[in-house]
Amino acid sequence: MLDGVLRKGLTLDSAAQGARGLAPPDHALAIAIAGEALRLLPDLDALIDSVTQRPLPPDSKARMVLRLALAQKIGLGTPDHALVATALPLVDGGPRRLVHGVLGTLLRKGILPLEAPRLPDAVEQRWRSAWGEDVVHAARRQIAQRPPLDLSFADDSVANAYAQQHGGVSLAPRHVRLPESSAVPGLAGFGEGGWWVQDLAASLPARLIPSEAADVLDLCAAPGGKTMQIAAAGHRVTSVDASKNRLARIRENLQRTKLSASLVPVDALTWDPGRGFDAILLDAPCSATGTFRRHPEVLYRARPAIIAERAALQAKLLGRAAQWLNPGGALVYSVCSLEPEEGEQIVAAFLAANPDFRLDPPTGLPAFVAPDASGQVRILPGLLEDQGGLDGFFAARLVRS
Ligand SMILES: C[S@@+](CC[C@H](N)C(=O)[O-])C[C@H]1O[C@@H](n2cnc3c(N)ncnc32)[C@H](O)[C@@H]1O
């Protein structure tokens, strides 16, 4: 899995497909170990390098196995004998002595838990120049924490009752935050469908859809968190996504939550809706670097070329969406990215090319969200840190004058 993510650029989910033959608990453990290794990678590598004479090559099996063993020690609290016993067979017939020696030395020296693990240098540099040193430090602290589980509810009174019953807190209307993630289908109320899992930051863009908009287009809609919010708020929703498989997940989600939307499996770059909409939400495909707490692999996959490629796609999608907006309508653009190239810069270029549009400062957002001077919403690491933090996000509401 580590090799799939680091060398082949796969998501951890797709890299984990290769281990499907494992029994479910082993499969889950393997994913947890790989996830911890990705979360802690720069510090794990520094530990390894501190006791080897020459640095081991980045893709070498010895380094990969040492990363996995140390990730278990630091991230999962695995006992030393257990991690040594599972690491060494992976290098049988190979650098077993080397791995045994490095691991033994590090374990004897004692390894402390990391309160603020470093992020990859390239990412820290990018975020330092975009957002400043404080945000880099907040991101380090956030990656060390297990993120809480956020639920979105169709109905606010149900959310409040749920929070009281299950020891959660509500940080916004129709939101409940539970302290620890547990298996979602096993959580109380899953079968009844009153809620769905959605990071609190990811619930902000749909809150920007004006309540009077009757006919709403959710563009790039799967797996459907925002479609469910918009449908639950009483709008008529058309949900478009290019991926049939991902659209099937919206269908399942809508069935479970008893909400409805028209689903359209098309590529938005070639689609012609043949009519206008009162409001459009474009939650565009992006580098997803804002989700680094739950998906630490984004820190490695989001190389500058990928960010530039996504930004080009976002600009095209936004240009098309703008053509389908009824006069006076609102177009909400959002990305779960911490890269200004995919957020602020997309909107600035759009406004420069479309003088009939202007930014409409957000209304209806929870009080902890402070829009910037121009009225855009930028969620950075550090916000609500004491309450468990949020994913990084960007959202802007544009209206046609
Ligand atoms: C960030 S995800 C959307 C998450 C979703 N809005 C939610 O809240 O659950 C981006 C989605 O865009 C879809 N997508 C990418 N390119 C597309 C295109 N050209 N046309 C339509 N959908 C596209 C992907 O399949 C993916 O499901």
Side-chain angles (χ1 to χ4, degrees):
M1 290 180 203
L2 271 191
D3 187 55
V5 170
L6 295 175
R7 214 162 45 84
K8 302 193 191 116
L10 301 178
T11 62
L12 187 51
D13 268 358
S14 21
Q17 295 293 317
R20 256 180 326 207
L22 292 176
D26 290 341
H27 193 237
L29 177 61
I31 294 173
I33 296 171
E36 285 305 320
L38 290 165
R39 197 184 299 282
L40 305 171
L41 204 72
D43 286 294
L44 301 181
D45 280 344
L47 276 171
I48 296 167
D49 294 342
S50 71
V51 297
T52 51
Q53 277 170 352
R54 270 175 290 117
L56 301 171
D59 299 333
S60 62
K61 199 160 186 187
R63 187 181 286 278
M64 291 290 189
V65 170
L66 285 164
R67 286 164 166 171
L68 294 176
L70 294 172
Q72 290 174 77
K73 171 78 184 167
I74 300 174
L76 301 177
T78 309
D80 293 0
H81 64 268
L83 60 91
V84 172
T86 52
L88 295 184
L90 298 174
V91 276
D92 263 347
R96 187 183 163 105
R97 276 189 53 199
L98 172 72
V99 168
H100 200 183
V102 172
L103 208 46
T105 309
L106 286 171
L107 293 174
R108 270 194 304 279
K109 277 173 60 171
I111 302 171
L112 297 172
L114 298 165
E115 271 172 27
R118 282 183 302 149
L119 310 181
D121 285 345
V123 175
E124 289 202 347
Q125 272 168 28
R126 236 173 34 225
W127 292 357
R128 189 174 293 114
S129 70
W131 314 118
E133 192 66 34
D134 287 355
V135 168
V136 171
H137 283 280
R140 286 182 178 187
R141 291 191 299 276
Q142 277 204 339
I143 203 168
Q145 310 273 320
R146 297 258 180 286
L149 185 67
D150 285 329
L151 307 180
S152 283
F153 283 73
D155 183 308
D156 197 39
S157 56
V158 178
N160 287 325
Y162 194 96
Q164 282 196 344
Q165 260 175 24
H166 300 284
V169 284
S170 180
L171 299 169
R174 300 175 299 283
H175 166 262
V176 173
R177 171 161 286 188
L178 298 175
E180 276 169 46
S181 336
S182 44
V184 171
L187 280 180
F190 182 80
E192 288 98 272
W195 53 259
W196 53 96
V197 173
Q198 185 176 41
D199 188 87
L200 178 55
S203 82
L204 299 175
R207 296 174 192 265
L208 295 175
I209 298 291
S211 55
E212 64 276 12
D215 209 4
V216 179
L217 174 64
D218 185 3
L219 200 57
C220 299
K226 298 175 188 70
T227 288
M228 290 185 279
Q229 281 179 283
I230 302 168
H235 306 278
R236 193 164 54 246
V237 195
T238 304
S239 298
V240 166
D241 202 282
S243 157
K244 286 212 173 88
N245 287 343
R246 287 174 62 89
L247 215 57
R249 296 200 31 218
I250 307 192
R251 196 167 293 116
E252 285 163 25
N253 277 324
L254 288 170
Q255 270 168 7
R256 189 177 64 79
T257 53
K258 302 178 191 71
L259 293 166
S260 65
S262 316
L263 306 186
V264 190
V266 287
D267 184 334
L269 293 175
T270 51
W271 186 51
D272 175 6
R275 66 188 178 100
F277 296 88
D278 304 327
I280 301 179
L281 171 61
L282 169 58
D283 185 39
C286 69
S287 64
T289 47
T291 68
F292 70 95
R293 301 177 304 163
R294 295 190 180 84
H295 302 287
E297 77 264 27
V298 295
L299 299 171
Y300 298 91
R301 301 183 66 230
R303 306 205 166 99
I306 302 276
I307 295 170
E309 180 200 295
R310 294 291 146 86
L313 175 59
Q314 290 149 6
K316 272 193 214 153
L317 288 167
L318 186 57
R320 288 189 72 78
Q323 298 169 15
W324 306 331
L325 194 64
N326 287 337
L331 170 56
V332 176
Y333 172 77
S334 65
V335 277
C336 58
S337 160
L338 279 165
E339 317 306 323
E341 294 89 330
E342 298 181 281
E344 289 81 353
Q345 291 178 21
I346 295 291
V347 169
F350 174 82
L351 288 173
N354 296 274
D356 52 331
F357 275 84
R358 64 177 172 79
L359 271 168
D360 184 26
T363 43
L365 292 184
F368 66 81
V369 181
D372 69 12
S374 63
Q376 303 177 89
V377 175
R378 166 54 77 185
I379 305 295
L380 293 171
L383 188 63
L384 292 190
E385 186 170 346
D386 294 341
Q387 286 106 306
L390 284 90
D391 280 354
F393 236 92
F394 172 83
R397 181 164 64 190
L398 303 156
V399 290
R400 182 176 252 150
S401 48

